[in-house]
Amino acid sequence: MNLKCLIIDDEPHALRILEKYIRQVPYLECEATTTKSIEALQLIEKFSPDLIFLDIQMPDLTGIQLSKLISGDVKVIFTTAYAQFAVEGFELNATDYLLKPISFSRFLEAVEKVKKLKAENRHNSNENEASENFFFVKTDGKNKFQKVDFSEILYLESIRNYVVIHTKHEQIVTYNTLKHFEENLPSEKFIKTHKSYIVSIAKVSKTDTSEVWVGDDSLPLGDTYRHTFFEKIRERRI
């Protein structure tokens, strides 16, 4: 996992030292440097960095003021020659605080902390995403429920008072309405193509103005749903 970095410091010598240190760490990438805090805001928007080395004593905007304008999951390591700013820096949830002159060992300790935090955040994010990629439906039997993974679904078909969930390996029948699934399935993954069908966008193999093929199955494309369906197709066209 590489970390994109910005260096913001009004001392050219400090910039050069940090650039040198970054080059020695394989997972760090220096996207840009600046001595101007106003320009720093533009660079942050342009590069969306993972990590910012931020000097506290800056003209126009101090590093403390600048850090309050940074949004998103951007880690900040403050750099300064004055130890008295450390408390205020940590109150702003800075990941670490480097006191100049900065040794490479202390620099490495700080960036390793950022790397660990980023890895933990990614792990938690993946776990949350995985937990939201399935659902349970009631099938035959009073208290029988079956797990259905989004990735397994080809399409859903409404038949009278039932919905048949067609997957790669089986057909799951549940007493429900297609409207219920339309309201609860993620719209970025599933789309209604007919009053009786919802298809997985990722499983569409081809289409024309009247039919949608999902695997080997040809499904009707209704007039009411055609425009919205092709809007989704256009989003993925190259």
Side-chain angles (χ1 to χ4, degrees), residues 105-147:
S105 61
R106 183 67 185 88
F107 170 87
L108 190 59
E109 179 186 339
V111 297
E112 282 289 328
K113 187 186 296 186
V114 173
K115 183 183 178 184
K116 183 179 179 181
L117 288 171
K118 285 287 187 178
E120 289 174 353
N121 290 346
R122 180 172 295 186
H123 176 73
N124 292 336
S125 176
N126 289 340
E127 280 194 340
N128 291 337
E129 185 178 340
S131 69
E132 296 172 356
N133 280 342
F134 65 87
F135 59 91
F136 286 89
V137 293
K138 191 172 183 180
T139 57
D140 58 327
K142 199 167 187 178
N143 295 304
K144 185 175 180 182
F145 294 85
Q146 184 164 342
K147 180 182 177 182

Side-chain angles (χ1 to χ4, degrees), residues 151-170:
S151 61
E152 293 290 314
I153 298 173
L154 300 174
Y155 61 93
L156 297 88
E157 178 182 11
S158 174
I159 303 177
R160 297 180 182 174
N161 296 323
Y162 294 86
V163 171
V164 181
I165 304 171
H166 297 260
T167 75
K168 296 177 180 179
H169 309 293
E170 61 182 328

